[in-house]
Amino acid sequence: MFMAKNNNTLPYLSQRANVFAEKNTDTYAHGMSTLREILEDEMSLQGLNDYDLEAKSKVPQPTIQRIRSGKHGDPRSTTVKKLAFGLGLTEAQLRGIEPRKHENRVSELAPPQFKAIRYGSFRLQAGVIGFAVDYHGDEQEPVFIHVAKLQREGLKPETLIAAGVTGDSMETSLYDGDTVIIDTSKTTPKDGDVYAINYEGELLIKRMIRDAGQWWLQSDNPDKNRHPNKLCSGDLCLVIGKVVIKESTRI
């Protein structure tokens, strides 16, 4: 009678498969966590909600929500590429494989008790509430603000973006070459305050004035022939954030 020899091949393969599965489960979980973290970080930095990102990436809002909540599973590469494009990133950057442009050492450069606010350029579209930010990275030194000032003003560093002023429309309040800090969490207009505005796809820094039941964009430059007031109404005039701090070399 033929007797089969003891054979550990199948148990051995099964054991290896279990180890492989455990390792890949860990890798998958880490990768999804990184993707979600970077997605949340970029959306917060750029002031985007699910619907803003849907408009920019063409990924449906429910899909974005499922990815953010961790209920989507492993999204397809095409989906991740679309999300990355909408955020101004590559797929590798969104997955955490490559560093993002603004992942520099500004936090290490900041002295104790100071926070570094990065410079950025806004990418806007007419009629689109959301926006993308191209951070200037290492080529432009950030603005350092004392934490006591931030706390006193109720400001959060993650919602602040530094931007340069160009032109003379806001003289004598702001001059060409000045720096302003924009708080992207403050988008409710207040009469007399200065805001960054998406005006038909163009970034404007203007004072918002309430008159006759309507909002107007006012330049501080007294030459109204060159800088007339502009009506701020509908989707062609969208508030990006409030100017909360200015830095100037003009005395």
mmCIF file of all heavy atoms in Angstrom, residues 60-101:
data_model
loop_
_atom_site.group_PDB
_atom_site.id
_atom_site.type_symbol
_atom_site.label_atom_id
_atom_site.label_comp_id
_atom_site.label_asym_id
_atom_site.label_seq_id
_atom_site.Cartn_x
_atom_site.Cartn_y
_atom_site.Cartn_z
ATOM 1 N N PRO A 60 -16.622 62.965 -8.440
ATOM 2 C CA PRO A 60 -17.902 63.233 -7.767
ATOM 3 C C PRO A 60 -17.742 63.462 -6.268
ATOM 4 O O PRO A 60 -16.899 62.822 -5.621
ATOM 5 C CB PRO A 60 -18.721 61.969 -8.052
ATOM 6 C CG PRO A 60 -18.113 61.385 -9.278
ATOM 7 C CD PRO A 60 -16.651 61.699 -9.191
ATOM 8 N N GLN A 61 -18.541 64.387 -5.733
ATOM 9 C CA GLN A 61 -18.466 64.718 -4.312
ATOM 10 C C GLN A 61 -18.638 63.499 -3.407
ATOM 11 O O GLN A 61 -17.906 63.363 -2.418
ATOM 12 C CB GLN A 61 -19.504 65.801 -3.982
ATOM 13 C CG GLN A 61 -19.482 66.278 -2.533
ATOM 14 C CD GLN A 61 -20.337 65.423 -1.614
ATOM 15 O OE1 GLN A 61 -21.311 64.817 -2.064
ATOM 16 N NE2 GLN A 61 -19.981 65.362 -0.338
ATOM 17 N N PRO A 62 -19.586 62.576 -3.688
ATOM 18 C CA PRO A 62 -19.717 61.407 -2.805
ATOM 19 C C PRO A 62 -18.448 60.565 -2.746
ATOM 20 O O PRO A 62 -18.113 60.016 -1.692
ATOM 21 C CB PRO A 62 -20.884 60.625 -3.439
ATOM 22 C CG PRO A 62 -21.681 61.659 -4.159
ATOM 23 C CD PRO A 62 -20.667 62.613 -4.708
ATOM 24 N N THR A 63 -17.737 60.464 -3.873
ATOM 25 C CA THR A 63 -16.477 59.717 -3.885
ATOM 26 C C THR A 63 -15.436 60.402 -3.020
ATOM 27 O O THR A 63 -14.718 59.760 -2.256
ATOM 28 C CB THR A 63 -15.952 59.576 -5.328
ATOM 29 O OG1 THR A 63 -16.920 58.900 -6.126
ATOM 30 C CG2 THR A 63 -14.641 58.803 -5.361
ATOM 31 N N ILE A 64 -15.359 61.729 -3.133
ATOM 32 C CA ILE A 64 -14.410 62.486 -2.312
ATOM 33 C C ILE A 64 -14.714 62.288 -0.841
ATOM 34 O O ILE A 64 -13.813 62.061 -0.023
ATOM 35 C CB ILE A 64 -14.457 63.987 -2.682
ATOM 36 C CG1 ILE A 64 -13.998 64.197 -4.130
ATOM 37 C CG2 ILE A 64 -13.593 64.809 -1.722
ATOM 38 C CD1 ILE A 64 -14.182 65.608 -4.634
ATOM 39 N N GLN A 65 -15.992 62.342 -0.486
ATOM 40 C CA GLN A 65 -16.389 62.177 0.905
ATOM 41 C C GLN A 65 -16.032 60.793 1.420
ATOM 42 O O GLN A 65 -15.571 60.634 2.555
ATOM 43 C CB GLN A 65 -17.887 62.428 1.052
ATOM 44 C CG GLN A 65 -18.415 62.260 2.474
ATOM 45 C CD GLN A 65 -17.699 63.133 3.484
ATOM 46 O OE1 GLN A 65 -17.360 64.266 3.191
ATOM 47 N NE2 GLN A 65 -17.433 62.597 4.662
ATOM 48 N N ARG A 66 -16.239 59.752 0.592
ATOM 49 C CA ARG A 66 -15.913 58.389 1.026
ATOM 50 C C ARG A 66 -14.414 58.217 1.229
ATOM 51 O O ARG A 66 -13.980 57.541 2.159
ATOM 52 C CB ARG A 66 -16.434 57.381 0.000
ATOM 53 C CG ARG A 66 -17.950 57.211 0.004
ATOM 54 C CD ARG A 66 -18.371 55.920 -0.677
ATOM 55 N NE ARG A 66 -17.945 55.878 -2.063
ATOM 56 C CZ ARG A 66 -18.657 56.355 -3.085
ATOM 57 N NH1 ARG A 66 -19.848 56.916 -2.850
ATOM 58 N NH2 ARG A 66 -18.224 56.269 -4.320
ATOM 59 N N ILE A 67 -13.605 58.843 0.371
ATOM 60 C CA ILE A 67 -12.151 58.758 0.530
ATOM 61 C C ILE A 67 -11.731 59.467 1.808
ATOM 62 O O ILE A 67 -10.921 58.955 2.582
ATOM 63 C CB ILE A 67 -11.434 59.369 -0.691
ATOM 64 C CG1 ILE A 67 -11.699 58.524 -1.941
ATOM 65 C CG2 ILE A 67 -9.927 59.474 -0.432
ATOM 66 C CD1 ILE A 67 -11.161 59.141 -3.215
ATOM 67 N N ARG A 68 -12.297 60.638 2.049
ATOM 68 C CA ARG A 68 -11.937 61.402 3.248
ATOM 69 C C ARG A 68 -12.343 60.673 4.523
ATOM 70 O O ARG A 68 -11.671 60.785 5.547
ATOM 71 C CB ARG A 68 -12.589 62.782 3.201
ATOM 72 C CG ARG A 68 -12.080 63.666 2.079
ATOM 73 C CD ARG A 68 -12.763 65.024 2.094
ATOM 74 N NE ARG A 68 -12.378 65.793 3.269
ATOM 75 C CZ ARG A 68 -12.918 66.965 3.600
ATOM 76 N NH1 ARG A 68 -13.872 67.487 2.846
ATOM 77 N NH2 ARG A 68 -12.518 67.612 4.672
ATOM 78 N N SER A 69 -13.440 59.920 4.459
ATOM 79 C CA SER A 69 -13.920 59.207 5.644
ATOM 80 C C SER A 69 -13.286 57.839 5.798
ATOM 81 O O SER A 69 -13.483 57.168 6.815
ATOM 82 C CB SER A 69 -15.443 59.064 5.576
ATOM 83 O OG SER A 69 -15.819 58.242 4.486
ATOM 84 N N GLY A 70 -12.526 57.396 4.776
ATOM 85 C CA GLY A 70 -11.890 56.085 4.844
ATOM 86 C C GLY A 70 -12.801 54.948 4.454
ATOM 87 O O GLY A 70 -12.468 53.777 4.645
ATOM 88 N N LYS A 71 -13.970 55.253 3.878
ATOM 89 C CA LYS A 71 -14.944 54.219 3.540
ATOM 90 C C LYS A 71 -14.862 53.790 2.067
ATOM 91 O O LYS A 71 -15.609 52.923 1.645
ATOM 92 C CB LYS A 71 -16.359 54.723 3.828
ATOM 93 C CG LYS A 71 -16.608 55.033 5.301
ATOM 94 C CD LYS A 71 -18.010 55.574 5.506
ATOM 95 C CE LYS A 71 -18.261 55.894 6.982
ATOM 96 N NZ LYS A 71 -19.613 56.457 7.214
ATOM 97 N N HIS A 72 -13.971 54.389 1.313
ATOM 98 C CA HIS A 72 -13.924 54.121 -0.122
ATOM 99 C C HIS A 72 -13.127 52.866 -0.445
ATOM 100 O O HIS A 72 -13.337 52.259 -1.492
ATOM 101 C CB HIS A 72 -13.321 55.324 -0.864
ATOM 102 C CG HIS A 72 -13.393 55.188 -2.364
ATOM 103 N ND1 HIS A 72 -12.523 54.410 -3.092
ATOM 104 C CD2 HIS A 72 -14.240 55.736 -3.263
ATOM 105 C CE1 HIS A 72 -12.830 54.492 -4.373
ATOM 106 N NE2 HIS A 72 -13.867 55.287 -4.508
ATOM 107 N N GLY A 73 -12.216 52.434 0.431
ATOM 108 C CA GLY A 73 -11.274 51.399 0.056
ATOM 109 C C GLY A 73 -10.101 52.036 -0.663
ATOM 110 O O GLY A 73 -9.785 53.202 -0.440
ATOM 111 N N ASP A 74 -9.467 51.293 -1.542
ATOM 112 C CA ASP A 74 -8.317 51.805 -2.277
ATOM 113 C C ASP A 74 -8.798 52.455 -3.566
ATOM 114 O O ASP A 74 -9.218 51.759 -4.497
ATOM 115 C CB ASP A 74 -7.353 50.645 -2.588
ATOM 116 C CG ASP A 74 -6.050 51.143 -3.178
ATOM 117 O OD1 ASP A 74 -5.814 52.366 -3.130
ATOM 118 O OD2 ASP A 74 -5.282 50.325 -3.698
ATOM 119 N N PRO A 75 -8.776 53.793 -3.666
ATOM 120 C CA PRO A 75 -9.272 54.444 -4.882
ATOM 121 C C PRO A 75 -8.391 54.130 -6.083
ATOM 122 O O PRO A 75 -7.191 53.915 -5.959
ATOM 123 C CB PRO A 75 -9.230 55.938 -4.536
ATOM 124 C CG PRO A 75 -8.282 56.047 -3.413
ATOM 125 C CD PRO A 75 -8.325 54.752 -2.666
ATOM 126 N N ARG A 76 -9.015 54.099 -7.255
ATOM 127 C CA ARG A 76 -8.277 53.813 -8.484
ATOM 128 C C ARG A 76 -7.271 54.918 -8.769
ATOM 129 O O ARG A 76 -7.449 56.064 -8.377
ATOM 130 C CB ARG A 76 -9.243 53.670 -9.656
ATOM 131 C CG ARG A 76 -10.138 52.439 -9.576
ATOM 132 C CD ARG A 76 -11.051 52.351 -10.779
ATOM 133 N NE ARG A 76 -11.965 53.491 -10.830
ATOM 134 C CZ ARG A 76 -12.844 53.692 -11.818
ATOM 135 N NH1 ARG A 76 -12.905 52.842 -12.823
ATOM 136 N NH2 ARG A 76 -13.653 54.736 -11.782
ATOM 137 N N SER A 77 -6.232 54.537 -9.495
ATOM 138 C CA SER A 77 -5.185 55.498 -9.840
ATOM 139 C C SER A 77 -5.750 56.666 -10.625
ATOM 140 O O SER A 77 -5.338 57.818 -10.431
ATOM 141 C CB SER A 77 -4.087 54.807 -10.649
ATOM 142 O OG SER A 77 -3.087 55.728 -11.030
ATOM 143 N N THR A 78 -6.717 56.394 -11.506
ATOM 144 C CA THR A 78 -7.311 57.486 -12.293
ATOM 145 C C THR A 78 -8.015 58.497 -11.385
ATOM 146 O O THR A 78 -7.955 59.706 -11.636
ATOM 147 C CB THR A 78 -8.320 56.927 -13.313
ATOM 148 O OG1 THR A 78 -9.276 56.090 -12.633
ATOM 149 C CG2 THR A 78 -7.615 56.115 -14.383
ATOM 150 N N THR A 79 -8.658 57.989 -10.328
ATOM 151 C CA THR A 79 -9.334 58.883 -9.385
ATOM 152 C C THR A 79 -8.316 59.726 -8.630
ATOM 153 O O THR A 79 -8.498 60.939 -8.463
ATOM 154 C CB THR A 79 -10.183 58.073 -8.391
ATOM 155 O OG1 THR A 79 -11.176 57.339 -9.106
ATOM 156 C CG2 THR A 79 -10.857 58.990 -7.375
ATOM 157 N N VAL A 80 -7.251 59.088 -8.159
ATOM 158 C CA VAL A 80 -6.219 59.809 -7.406
ATOM 159 C C VAL A 80 -5.543 60.848 -8.296
ATOM 160 O O VAL A 80 -5.254 61.964 -7.857
ATOM 161 C CB VAL A 80 -5.176 58.830 -6.832
ATOM 162 C CG1 VAL A 80 -4.084 59.582 -6.076
ATOM 163 C CG2 VAL A 80 -5.847 57.824 -5.903
ATOM 164 N N LYS A 81 -5.323 60.512 -9.554
ATOM 165 C CA LYS A 81 -4.704 61.465 -10.483
ATOM 166 C C LYS A 81 -5.591 62.694 -10.676
ATOM 167 O O LYS A 81 -5.105 63.827 -10.729
ATOM 168 C CB LYS A 81 -4.440 60.795 -11.829
ATOM 169 C CG LYS A 81 -3.253 59.834 -11.824
ATOM 170 C CD LYS A 81 -3.064 59.189 -13.194
ATOM 171 C CE LYS A 81 -1.872 58.251 -13.181
ATOM 172 N NZ LYS A 81 -1.687 57.573 -14.484
ATOM 173 N N LYS A 82 -6.902 62.467 -10.796
ATOM 174 C CA LYS A 82 -7.825 63.588 -10.962
ATOM 175 C C LYS A 82 -7.831 64.480 -9.717
ATOM 176 O O LYS A 82 -7.821 65.712 -9.823
ATOM 177 C CB LYS A 82 -9.232 63.066 -11.237
ATOM 178 C CG LYS A 82 -9.417 62.461 -12.620
ATOM 179 C CD LYS A 82 -10.851 61.962 -12.802
ATOM 180 C CE LYS A 82 -11.073 61.355 -14.170
ATOM 181 N NZ LYS A 82 -12.464 60.861 -14.326
ATOM 182 N N LEU A 83 -7.855 63.849 -8.536
ATOM 183 C CA LEU A 83 -7.816 64.626 -7.295
ATOM 184 C C LEU A 83 -6.516 65.416 -7.192
ATOM 185 O O LEU A 83 -6.516 66.586 -6.805
ATOM 186 C CB LEU A 83 -7.953 63.693 -6.090
ATOM 187 C CG LEU A 83 -9.315 63.028 -5.882
ATOM 188 C CD1 LEU A 83 -9.234 62.000 -4.765
ATOM 189 C CD2 LEU A 83 -10.386 64.070 -5.559
ATOM 190 N N ALA A 84 -5.416 64.751 -7.547
ATOM 191 C CA ALA A 84 -4.115 65.416 -7.487
ATOM 192 C C ALA A 84 -4.079 66.619 -8.427
ATOM 193 O O ALA A 84 -3.600 67.703 -8.063
ATOM 194 C CB ALA A 84 -3.003 64.428 -7.836
ATOM 195 N N PHE A 85 -4.611 66.443 -9.645
ATOM 196 C CA PHE A 85 -4.637 67.538 -10.619
ATOM 197 C C PHE A 85 -5.440 68.714 -10.083
ATOM 198 O O PHE A 85 -5.049 69.869 -10.214
ATOM 199 C CB PHE A 85 -5.225 67.055 -11.939
ATOM 200 C CG PHE A 85 -5.318 68.125 -12.988
ATOM 201 C CD1 PHE A 85 -4.216 68.492 -13.736
ATOM 202 C CD2 PHE A 85 -6.521 68.785 -13.220
ATOM 203 C CE1 PHE A 85 -4.297 69.491 -14.693
ATOM 204 C CE2 PHE A 85 -6.615 69.785 -14.173
ATOM 205 C CZ PHE A 85 -5.495 70.135 -14.913
ATOM 206 N N GLY A 86 -6.600 68.407 -9.470
ATOM 207 C CA GLY A 86 -7.430 69.465 -8.909
ATOM 208 C C GLY A 86 -6.755 70.223 -7.784
ATOM 209 O O GLY A 86 -7.063 71.393 -7.539
ATOM 210 N N LEU A 87 -5.822 69.570 -7.103
ATOM 211 C CA LEU A 87 -5.101 70.192 -5.990
ATOM 212 C C LEU A 87 -3.763 70.782 -6.420
ATOM 213 O O LEU A 87 -3.039 71.343 -5.595
ATOM 214 C CB LEU A 87 -4.854 69.156 -4.889
ATOM 215 C CG LEU A 87 -6.106 68.633 -4.172
ATOM 216 C CD1 LEU A 87 -5.755 67.406 -3.339
ATOM 217 C CD2 LEU A 87 -6.712 69.711 -3.295
ATOM 218 N N GLY A 88 -3.419 70.631 -7.703
ATOM 219 C CA GLY A 88 -2.141 71.138 -8.176
ATOM 220 C C GLY A 88 -0.971 70.265 -7.782
ATOM 221 O O GLY A 88 0.164 70.742 -7.658
ATOM 222 N N LEU A 89 -1.226 68.960 -7.590
ATOM 223 C CA LEU A 89 -0.192 68.010 -7.191
ATOM 224 C C LEU A 89 -0.048 66.919 -8.240
ATOM 225 O O LEU A 89 -0.841 66.809 -9.166
ATOM 226 C CB LEU A 89 -0.546 67.362 -5.847
ATOM 227 C CG LEU A 89 -0.826 68.259 -4.651
ATOM 228 C CD1 LEU A 89 -1.304 67.411 -3.471
ATOM 229 C CD2 LEU A 89 0.399 69.068 -4.269
ATOM 230 N N THR A 90 0.992 66.087 -8.072
ATOM 231 C CA THR A 90 1.094 64.857 -8.838
ATOM 232 C C THR A 90 0.484 63.732 -8.010
ATOM 233 O O THR A 90 0.275 63.876 -6.799
ATOM 234 C CB THR A 90 2.554 64.514 -9.146
ATOM 235 O OG1 THR A 90 3.246 64.236 -7.919
ATOM 236 C CG2 THR A 90 3.253 65.674 -9.857
ATOM 237 N N GLU A 91 0.220 62.610 -8.659
ATOM 238 C CA GLU A 91 -0.314 61.471 -7.923
ATOM 239 C C GLU A 91 0.655 61.030 -6.836
ATOM 240 O O GLU A 91 0.249 60.710 -5.714
ATOM 241 C CB GLU A 91 -0.588 60.301 -8.872
ATOM 242 C CG GLU A 91 -1.158 59.074 -8.158
ATOM 243 C CD GLU A 91 -1.366 57.891 -9.078
ATOM 244 O OE1 GLU A 91 -1.002 57.983 -10.275
ATOM 245 O OE2 GLU A 91 -1.887 56.861 -8.600
ATOM 246 N N ALA A 92 1.952 61.041 -7.156
ATOM 247 C CA ALA A 92 2.963 60.624 -6.174
ATOM 248 C C ALA A 92 2.976 61.557 -4.969
ATOM 249 O O ALA A 92 3.173 61.120 -3.833
ATOM 250 C CB ALA A 92 4.344 60.578 -6.831
ATOM 251 N N GLN A 93 2.771 62.856 -5.202
ATOM 252 C CA GLN A 93 2.739 63.803 -4.090
ATOM 253 C C GLN A 93 1.509 63.587 -3.227
ATOM 254 O O GLN A 93 1.582 63.658 -2.002
ATOM 255 C CB GLN A 93 2.769 65.232 -4.626
ATOM 256 C CG GLN A 93 4.119 65.645 -5.203
ATOM 257 C CD GLN A 93 4.058 66.998 -5.881
ATOM 258 O OE1 GLN A 93 3.042 67.379 -6.462
ATOM 259 N NE2 GLN A 93 5.152 67.739 -5.826
ATOM 260 N N LEU A 94 0.362 63.311 -3.850
ATOM 261 C CA LEU A 94 -0.859 63.085 -3.081
ATOM 262 C C LEU A 94 -0.774 61.797 -2.279
ATOM 263 O O LEU A 94 -1.335 61.701 -1.182
ATOM 264 C CB LEU A 94 -2.074 63.051 -4.018
ATOM 265 C CG LEU A 94 -3.447 62.899 -3.351
ATOM 266 C CD1 LEU A 94 -3.669 63.962 -2.282
ATOM 267 C CD2 LEU A 94 -4.557 62.959 -4.389
ATOM 268 N N ARG A 95 -0.057 60.821 -2.789
ATOM 269 C CA ARG A 95 0.110 59.557 -2.067
ATOM 270 C C ARG A 95 1.238 59.612 -1.040
ATOM 271 O O ARG A 95 1.463 58.658 -0.306
ATOM 272 C CB ARG A 95 0.371 58.419 -3.049
ATOM 273 C CG ARG A 95 -0.828 58.047 -3.919
ATOM 274 C CD ARG A 95 -0.571 56.794 -4.720
ATOM 275 N NE ARG A 95 -1.669 56.431 -5.594
ATOM 276 C CZ ARG A 95 -2.733 55.723 -5.203
ATOM 277 N NH1 ARG A 95 -2.829 55.322 -3.943
ATOM 278 N NH2 ARG A 95 -3.690 55.413 -6.067
ATOM 279 N N GLY A 96 1.964 60.718 -0.991
ATOM 280 C CA GLY A 96 3.041 60.849 -0.013
ATOM 281 C C GLY A 96 4.326 60.204 -0.433
ATOM 282 O O GLY A 96 5.255 60.054 0.373
ATOM 283 N N ILE A 97 4.436 59.816 -1.714
ATOM 284 C CA ILE A 97 5.657 59.181 -2.208
ATOM 285 C C ILE A 97 6.716 60.229 -2.521
ATOM 286 O O ILE A 97 7.905 60.015 -2.306
ATOM 287 C CB ILE A 97 5.340 58.346 -3.474
ATOM 288 C CG1 ILE A 97 4.324 57.251 -3.130
ATOM 289 C CG2 ILE A 97 6.604 57.726 -4.050
ATOM 290 C CD1 ILE A 97 3.793 56.512 -4.338
ATOM 291 N N GLU A 98 6.275 61.379 -3.038
ATOM 292 C CA GLU A 98 7.178 62.491 -3.329
ATOM 293 C C GLU A 98 6.771 63.688 -2.481
ATOM 294 O O GLU A 98 5.582 63.851 -2.174
ATOM 295 C CB GLU A 98 7.123 62.864 -4.813
ATOM 296 C CG GLU A 98 7.639 61.796 -5.747
ATOM 297 C CD GLU A 98 7.527 62.202 -7.209
ATOM 298 O OE1 GLU A 98 6.978 63.321 -7.468
ATOM 299 O OE2 GLU A 98 7.970 61.441 -8.074
ATOM 300 N N PRO A 99 7.722 64.550 -2.095
ATOM 301 C CA PRO A 99 7.377 65.727 -1.284
ATOM 302 C C PRO A 99 6.623 66.755 -2.098
ATOM 303 O O PRO A 99 6.827 66.891 -3.307
ATOM 304 C CB PRO A 99 8.750 66.268 -0.853
ATOM 305 C CG PRO A 99 9.690 65.797 -1.906
ATOM 306 C CD PRO A 99 9.174 64.449 -2.357
ATOM 307 N N ARG A 100 5.716 67.449 -1.450
ATOM 308 C CA ARG A 100 5.035 68.564 -2.086
ATOM 309 C C ARG A 100 5.955 69.776 -2.096
ATOM 310 O O ARG A 100 6.875 69.867 -1.292
ATOM 311 C CB ARG A 100 3.743 68.877 -1.330
ATOM 312 C CG ARG A 100 2.674 67.807 -1.481
ATOM 313 C CD ARG A 100 1.536 68.012 -0.512
ATOM 314 N NE ARG A 100 1.870 67.553 0.831
ATOM 315 C CZ ARG A 100 1.157 67.823 1.918
ATOM 316 N NH1 ARG A 100 0.082 68.578 1.820
ATOM 317 N NH2 ARG A 100 1.515 67.367 3.086
ATOM 318 N N LYS A 101 5.672 70.726 -2.991
ATOM 319 C CA LYS A 101 6.560 71.875 -3.150
ATOM 320 C C LYS A 101 6.724 72.665 -1.864
ATOM 321 O O LYS A 101 7.791 73.173 -1.561
ATOM 322 C CB LYS A 101 6.033 72.802 -4.264
ATOM 323 C CG LYS A 101 6.166 72.222 -5.661
ATOM 324 C CD LYS A 101 5.667 73.210 -6.688
ATOM 325 C CE LYS A 101 5.811 72.653 -8.092
ATOM 326 N NZ LYS A 101 5.318 73.619 -9.118
#
